[in-house]
Amino acid sequence: MRVADATVSLLVGGAGPNSEPRWSPDGSQIAFETSGGDKFFFYANQKIAVVPAAGGASRIANPNFDEDADLLGWGPDGIYFGARARTESGLWRLDPKSGAATRLAFAGLPIGQRFSLSSDFRRAAFQGSAANRYPEIYAADLAGSAPVKLTDAGSQTQPFDTGKRELVTWKSKDGTPIEGVLLTPPGFDPSKKYPLLVVIHGGPTGIDVPWVTADRIYPTERFLAKGAVILRPNYRGSAGYGGKFRALNVRNLGVGDYADVISGVDALIAKGFVDKDRVAAMGWSQGGYISAFITTSSDRFKAVSVGAGISDWMTYYANTDITPFTRQYLKGTPWDDPEIYRKTSPISYVAKAKTPTLIQHGSNDRRVPIANAYELRQALEDKNVPVKMVVYEGFGHGINKPRQHRALMEENEAWFSHYIWGEPLPTALRPDTPDLKVEEPGAKPPADRTAEAAKLVAED
């Protein structure tokens, strides 16, 4: 818009998505994030494009960069963006003329994100970390001086003997190399046998990295303290491994993802330190979907937890707030290609289900509507599979208030402590009791705080 007379001109039209515009230093051009009109933008690489500020044709400035580029700004010496590189992440500088991108190194901090640049593009503040380290805020000169740590949030973990994180790799059923993060408990001895818990990230374009962060949904450190080993697989479709890897679960959702998880379990069992009779799985969103696939496709797991997961792509497609997601990943609608919707839906395999399953879901979830949870619960009940469903009243796709969040974690701890370690299952989580309703803020907490964590409700 020209301020003088409020004249509005369209600079970039047509397909996108296009976002995050940034001016060049001389004001003659604008850089922006784009999917370049790719109709499958949910898993295609996000690029950086440049358009003349006066109008004209736009062009992709980093055509050869094989990952999502998060545009930060345009400085005197180039365009700055953040991106992932497998389980690392960092800051890149792009030459808008040649298209060459160079990663800026920050000594000892291979995981860098949330970059904020000074107005002269000489300094940056960012969240930095490394394997087995808690992330802190750092400041650094972009000319190459050592980063200065500004926070000490990791000191809160010092009283605890946290587990060790390391990267592991294996090959999936079709030969695809898969990477994941293996967490081992204090005093780990590879000559002994340990229960294995698989924690599956969402997305599907999420990723797990080997840093130390606060547990969310699943009390990982408490499982480690009980003597478990934990696998967090970066299954096909995960971010950080390039566009081709992110597209490997297209028309292959659940099927290929499940194979990646199972092959990872087999690889760890082959190493000799996993008790194959005590294996469990859990995950939220896409991780919940893969967990539902495990429930309905395998009898090798002692217990599963499905958090806000898809059970039926038809049900999801007709109700979600991101309908194009399904059309892009399955390359069709349920009316045009019902077979691919059947093949990739956990509910299609429920006749095989045997595994005790905990289902957790927000009642107002628009991303993965709760109908998916009710459908899975009903099918498992009809097949006499032990199942317990907990509904978080008033919450959406994330359970994001402290008391309910704690309840969520305690439910998972109780569920797996029972099925993996043989501890008593709280009455409220027994499969033969009615569905739990964890209330939204407004009601007083129940008087009995010692019994079932799932009954916790929030105060204003």
Side-chain angles (χ1 to χ4, degrees):
M1 184 179 73
R2 198 165 57 200
V3 176
D5 57 6
T7 300
V8 176
S9 300
L10 181 64
L11 294 181
V12 180
N18 305 307
S19 61
E20 301 297 326
R22 297 288 189 274
W23 289 96
S24 64
D26 63 3
S28 66
Q29 301 179 85
I30 299 174
F32 60 97
E33 296 176 356
T34 184
S35 292
D38 194 318
K39 64 183 294 187
F40 304 113
F41 60 82
F42 268 99
Y43 54 86
N45 281 331
Q46 176 178 278
K47 297 292 188 179
I48 294 174
V50 174
V51 64
S58 60
R59 62 180 177 83
I60 301 298
N62 63 334
N64 299 318
F65 191 79
D66 188 19
E67 251 308 319
D68 281 340
D70 298 322
L71 179 59
L72 297 168
W74 194 333
D77 54 353
I79 297 172
Y80 287 83
F81 65 93
R84 294 195 175 278
R86 302 180 73 89
T87 56
E88 295 185 1
S89 54
L91 179 66
W92 270 259
R93 183 169 52 229
L94 170 68
D95 183 334
K97 293 182 179 179
S98 70
T102 304
R103 183 175 178 179
L104 282 69
F106 298 103
L109 300 171
I111 304 172
Q113 58 185 28
R114 300 183 180 182
F115 288 91
S116 178
L117 302 173
S118 62
S119 59
D120 60 5
F121 290 85
R122 292 182 178 180
R123 289 178 61 77
F126 62 98
Q127 185 187 57
S129 188
N132 296 297
R133 287 170 57 183
Y134 200 91
E136 305 286 358
I137 303 302
Y138 291 83
D141 290 327
L142 298 186
S145 62
V148 177
K149 190 172 76 164
L150 304 179
T151 61
D152 192 27
S155 61
Q156 65 187 300
T157 67
Q158 290 178 359
F160 304 98
D161 193 0
T162 57
K164 179 185 176 184
R165 282 104 168 128
E166 62 179 297
L167 295 179
V168 291
T169 59
W170 64 92
K171 286 190 176 181
S172 191
K173 182 179 179 181
D174 62 359
T176 301
I178 304 295
E179 191 170 49
V181 181
L182 176 67
L183 292 76
T184 52
F188 173 71
D189 181 349
S191 67
K192 296 181 179 179
K193 298 285 188 181
Y194 296 84
L196 171 63
L197 303 185
V198 185
V199 181
I200 309 170
H201 69 69
T205 55
I207 187 172
D208 276 308
V209 300
W211 62 2
V212 177
T213 56
D215 286 342
R216 302 294 183 198
I217 306 175
Y218 308 106
T220 304
E221 288 293 342
R222 293 174 69 86
F223 291 147
L224 291 170
K226 283 177 172 288
V229 295
I230 295 171
L231 176 64
R232 306 189 76 124
N234 288 329
Y235 53 88
R236 64 190 64 207
S238 299
Y241 299 89
K244 183 178 179 181
F245 187 82
R246 281 204 310 281
L248 286 178
N249 56 2
V250 173
R251 290 184 65 83
N252 195 28
L253 282 168
V255 181
D257 312 20
Y258 168 79
D260 296 344
V261 173
I262 291 296
S263 58
V265 170
D266 288 339
L268 293 182
I269 290 174
K271 290 180 180 293
F273 57 77
V274 169
D275 181 351
K276 64 180 180 60
D277 295 321
R278 289 197 293 167
V279 179
M282 64 205 79
W284 196 267
S285 192
Q286 180 78 8
Y289 160 64
I290 298 172
S291 296
F293 227 97
I294 289 172
T295 286
T296 58
S297 302
S298 176
D299 60 1
R300 299 176 54 187
F301 292 74
K302 294 290 288 185
V304 167
S305 177
V306 175
I310 300 101
S311 62
D312 188 332
W313 283 116
M314 167 63 183
T315 301
Y316 177 90
Y317 179 79
N319 293 279
T320 185
D321 62 348
I322 53 168
T323 302
F325 173 92
T326 324
R327 289 200 300 265
Q328 291 190 26
Y329 270 95
L330 298 184
K331 290 194 173 181
T333 71
W335 339 116
D336 300 326
D337 193 349
E339 175 55 24
I340 192 63
Y341 278 72
R342 185 205 66 78
K343 175 185 175 182
T344 56
S345 293
I347 206 72
S348 302
Y349 308 96
V350 75
K352 303 176 184 177
K354 296 181 180 179
T355 308
T357 301
L358 173 66
I359 301 173
Q360 298 168 307
H361 218 110
S363 65
N364 293 347
D365 192 342
R366 296 181 62 203
R367 183 57 42 87
V368 181
I370 197 171
N372 285 270
Y374 283 119
E375 187 171 340
L376 179 62
R377 186 212 62 182
Q378 188 63 57
L380 293 176
E381 282 187 352
D382 290 347
K383 296 297 181 181
N384 296 315
V385 177
V387 57
K388 182 65 184 180
M389 181 167 167
V390 184
V391 177
Y392 280 78
E393 295 285 358
F395 286 86
H397 195 52
I399 311 304
N400 54 7
K401 294 185 178 179
R403 190 176 296 275
Q404 291 90 341
H405 194 180
R406 175 171 174 166
L408 192 78
M409 296 179 73
E410 290 183 339
E411 289 157 12
N412 280 301
E413 182 177 17
W415 188 258
F416 292 106
S417 292
H418 174 69
Y419 286 102
I420 297 298
W421 285 280
E423 297 177 12
L425 190 63
T427 302
L429 287 181
R430 280 173 33 197
D432 58 354
T433 57
D435 286 350
L436 274 173
K437 306 287 184 180
V438 179
E439 302 293 335
E440 199 183 11
K444 292 182 178 180
D448 182 6
R449 291 293 306 278
T450 64
E452 298 76 38
K455 286 187 175 180
L456 292 177
V457 295
E459 298 172 312
D460 286 329

